[in-house]
Amino acid sequence: MGRFLRNSLTLARKEWISLLRDGFMLGFVIYSFTLSVYSQATGVSHELRNGAIAVVDEDRSPLSQRLVSSFHGPEFQIPVVLRHEQVDPGMAAARYTFVLDIPPDFQADVLAGRGPTLQVLIDATAMMQAGIGAGTIQGILDDEIGRFVRREAPESAAPVALQLRVAFNEALDTRWFTGTMSVVGNVTMLAVLLSGAALIREREHGTLEHLLVMPVRPAEIMAAKVLANGAVILALTVVALYGVLRGVLGVPLAGSVPLFLAGTAVYLFFATALGIFLGTVARSMPQLGLLFILIVLPMNMLSGGFTPLESEPDWLQTAMQLSPSTHYVAFAQAILFRGAGIAVVWPRFAATAGIGALFFLWSLARFRRHLATFR
């Protein structure tokens, strides 16, 4: 056992030196856990920001003026008051995403209980902003009209009051979720790429044959690659969590970061073993890239990090329980978002360790057969 550890650590040191000398790969890995995390968290917003809105006010009543003034930042720009003939040219020129049309006698019809109709025209070219904005506008209008009616006719107050309680992300800030899940996703992708590329790089440079004439066993070579690449990913995960998420983006990490890192270390045995397995199948870096697209990207997308696992078909949900990435995403979200402890996430830890250990042994067997072809 002492010899195994000594040889593995020596070979791991060789892997670190090789990575430091590969400027492109080193820069890519650092970028993936720093600028990439920041750009993914801030580049795509799922909230409505600075929506361009115009209003056609044919009522000119206190209620209509109240509705116009209810649209303000940061969700909307200052509303622009238009005439009817200006609506179509303005939307065709993409100057306005939303146009609210308030009909004549709107206030009088509301107070008389005649149920008047408000029309909202939406430019759905920007589909996400249009969908979110439609719901936001409806909520604002319902709220303002309800307040006005209750003030003018108290006896018509609504019989039910709805109270919302938002947990775990009270600000509804998508940067918290997108940034954190980009770190989780990059752990899988970079672990697979690093370990797979390390094996292919040794084969292309001819250093794999040098290892075979040394007094080391295939298990020690593979363990060194798992240890070296896993340690690099784990260290950069710490940088991403504390430097980018908490330091730059201000994301409050609810749970224990050491517990999450411990789970990440367990998961990395699977992810790096998967990279080595793909490295034994691929004959070049382009082939590794193609296998990565076919296997790792779908695994990442279906693991629950992009969309809830419950939204997938039942058979696919069952199949994804065999992937450690699914359990990794589940306990990462539980720890970092909801502050879960080991008493809650240990079944996910156990599943990740068990499936990962089986795949590690399978990859080791494949790796031994791969090395036998060089003898």
Side-chain angles (χ1 to χ4, degrees), residues 23-311:
F24 177 81
M25 183 63 74
L26 180 63
F28 176 70
V29 173
I30 295 174
Y31 164 81
S32 298
F33 283 93
T34 52
L35 294 177
S36 176
V37 173
Y38 178 82
S39 62
Q40 289 183 61
T42 59
V44 179
S45 176
H46 296 278
E47 294 96 15
L48 182 64
R49 289 289 183 272
N50 293 321
I53 186 169
V55 179
V56 179
D57 186 2
E58 299 180 281
D59 190 31
R60 302 287 180 175
S61 65
L63 176 56
S64 67
Q65 295 299 315
R66 180 169 179 163
L67 294 181
V68 173
S69 63
S70 64
F71 297 100
H72 48 74
E75 291 84 4
F76 296 96
Q77 300 176 12
I78 298 175
V80 178
V81 179
L82 302 179
R83 299 187 303 273
H84 260 300
E85 60 271 16
Q86 296 176 306
V87 173
D88 288 342
M91 294 198 72
R95 288 195 291 269
Y96 314 111
T97 305
F98 311 98
V99 176
L100 173 64
D101 187 357
I102 304 176
D105 302 321
F106 176 70
Q107 177 177 309
D109 291 341
V110 168
L111 294 177
R114 288 190 284 268
T117 300
L118 285 173
Q119 185 181 58
V120 179
L121 304 176
I122 301 175
D123 180 0
T125 304
M127 187 177 63
M128 181 178 295
Q129 188 181 44
I132 298 172
T136 303
I137 290 174
Q138 182 176 357
I140 291 174
L141 295 177
D142 289 343
D143 186 54
E144 291 297 329
I145 294 172
R147 290 180 183 178
F148 182 84
V149 170
R150 286 192 294 272
R151 189 189 67 183
E152 298 295 326
E155 67 277 2
S156 62
V160 176
L162 177 64
Q163 292 186 346
L164 298 178
R165 295 290 186 267
V166 180
F168 310 121
N169 186 354
E170 293 82 357
L172 296 177
D173 191 343
T174 56
R175 295 182 307 166
W176 295 12
F177 177 81
T178 307
T180 304
M181 295 317 299
S182 68
V183 174
V184 172
N186 286 347
V187 166
T188 299
M189 293 190 291
L190 269 298
V192 173
L193 282 177
L194 268 184
S195 53
L199 179 58
I200 291 177
R201 186 170 55 241
E202 290 213 52
R203 190 167 60 231
E204 290 178 344
H205 293 172
T207 56
L208 195 59
E209 289 87 344
H210 296 169
L211 290 176
L212 296 178
V213 299
M214 297 176 63
V216 293
R217 293 170 291 180
E220 295 169 347
I221 299 175
M222 182 169 172
K225 294 186 180 300
V226 168
L227 174 62
N229 294 293
V232 170
I233 298 299
L234 199 62
L236 289 174
T237 301
V238 175
V239 173
L241 291 176
Y242 286 106
V244 181
L245 293 183
R246 180 175 287 179
V248 178
L249 298 175
V251 178
L253 304 175
S256 169
V257 173
L259 179 61
F260 168 70
L261 293 176
T264 301
V266 173
Y267 173 71
L268 283 171
F269 277 97
F270 161 77
T272 51
L274 175 59
I276 293 173
F277 179 85
L278 296 180
T280 62
V281 176
R283 298 302 175 188
S284 62
M285 284 300 295
Q287 287 187 12
L288 178 64
L290 291 175
L291 290 173
F292 182 88
I293 293 173
L294 289 174
I295 297 174
V296 181
L297 289 185
M299 183 182 71
N300 238 10
M301 294 177 64
L302 298 175
S303 62
F306 291 87
T307 57
L309 199 66
E310 295 78 10
S311 64

Side-chain angles (χ1 to χ4, degrees), residues 287-372:
Q287 287 187 12
L288 178 64
L290 291 175
L291 290 173
F292 182 88
I293 293 173
L294 289 174
I295 297 174
V296 181
L297 289 185
M299 183 182 71
N300 238 10
M301 294 177 64
L302 298 175
S303 62
F306 291 87
T307 57
L309 199 66
E310 295 78 10
S311 64
E312 300 173 6
D314 292 340
W315 66 268
L316 187 55
Q317 294 183 40
T318 303
M320 287 306 298
Q321 295 303 316
L322 299 176
S323 171
S325 63
T326 303
H327 301 286
Y328 177 56
V329 168
F331 73 68
Q333 292 179 346
I335 295 171
L336 298 178
F337 294 149
R338 298 186 287 275
I342 188 63
V344 175
V345 299
W346 74 263
R348 297 288 189 178
F349 272 52
T352 303
I355 302 173
L358 292 175
F359 192 85
F360 181 87
L361 294 175
W362 185 28
S363 298
L364 179 59
R366 168 78 189 184
F367 185 63
R368 284 196 175 106
R369 290 196 300 270
H370 179 69
L371 294 182

